[in-house]
Amino acid sequence: MRYGAIEAGGTKFVCGIGAGPDDLQKTEFPTTMPEQTVERAVAFFRGSGVRAIGIGSFGPVDLRPESSTFGHITSTPKLGWRDFDLAGAIGRAVGVPVAFDTDVNAAALGEARWGAGRGLSDFVYITIGTGIGGGAVVGGRLLHGLVHPEMGHIFLPHDRTRDPFAGVCPYHGDCFEGLAAGPAIQSRWNTPASMLSADHAGWALEANYIALGLANLVTTLSPQRFILGGGVMKQAQLFPLVRAELLRVLNGYVQSPVLLEAIDEYVVPPALEDRAGVLGAIALAAQSYT
Ligand code: ADP
Ligand code: ZN
């Protein structure tokens, strides 16, 4: 059975057709205005015979099935996309059922099914890219709650003597995303994050913020693993820094052999690499089509 998948990002759309990692065919294109972007996605699926389409979307999104705006992108500042009915537009044009969730919940589901979350009942997938977002598997299920988690907007202790940068979140200034997403790094150092040298002092600060974010999640959700993806985490030197910083911040309080003896397996990159989101969207479609 082949399914369709869309990882709808604020910068690009990744579309896929397949049943899993072995047969995934994918394409990607920039996110422009909604109608034009949807038309490109629909053209990819037309005639493909997919039975259902899963969409993992940037947000915030409305995930409440009973809501009149289910499947809409809601309060985004992204031009043209506010209140856009993404799930509806795709479903009507392709004529198949659509399963809809956040981009990070989809990525978490992909990793749960085929990647670094296999066999775990509780873990968190976090992307650190243009924004910061997290998807959690709790007791074997994706966590949704009232709307959906917004782990990028938690508040961290911000030492303004060490880091006078005010933060770039339009809603909160110096929340986690405001301090630590790619645009914050660029704005703080006047250099794109991808251009900062591996030994730049900015990475120790970045690791501190990421570790503080993870520590708050360790103490609230008690996950068995963190999977960290997104453009900023392409800086491989961040992983050992974040692991060490997480242990330092927790300061021995959370007692688990995993933290004490297997920290390298506790904070890991996505096993599916850049395909976690689109494969997760395949899994979303498959789950809905039963
Ligand atoms: P998006 O979040 O838009 O889906 P990405 O996850 O690729 O896309 O994140 C883009 C952000 O990640 C940009 O702010 C960019 O500066 C940063 N980024 C991309 N590649 C790297 C890299 N190799 N090193 C550090 N930062 C990177
Ligand atoms: Zn914020």
Side-chain angles (χ1 to χ4, degrees), residues 152-155 168-178:
H153 297 267
I154 59 179
F155 296 98
V168 294
C169 175
Y171 289 87
H172 316 113
D174 63 349
C175 65
F176 186 13
E177 175 174 304

Side-chain angles (χ1 to χ4, degrees), residues 238-251:
L238 272 176
F239 281 92
L241 293 174
V242 168
R243 292 172 188 134
E245 232 356 56
L246 176 59
L247 293 179
R248 192 185 67 78
V249 168
L250 290 173
N251 198 25

Side-chain angles (χ1 to χ4, degrees), residues 11 129-130 182-183 193-194 203 230-232 234-235:
T11 321
T130 305
S194 56
W203 297 120
V232 172
K234 298 250 160 84
Q235 298 286 325

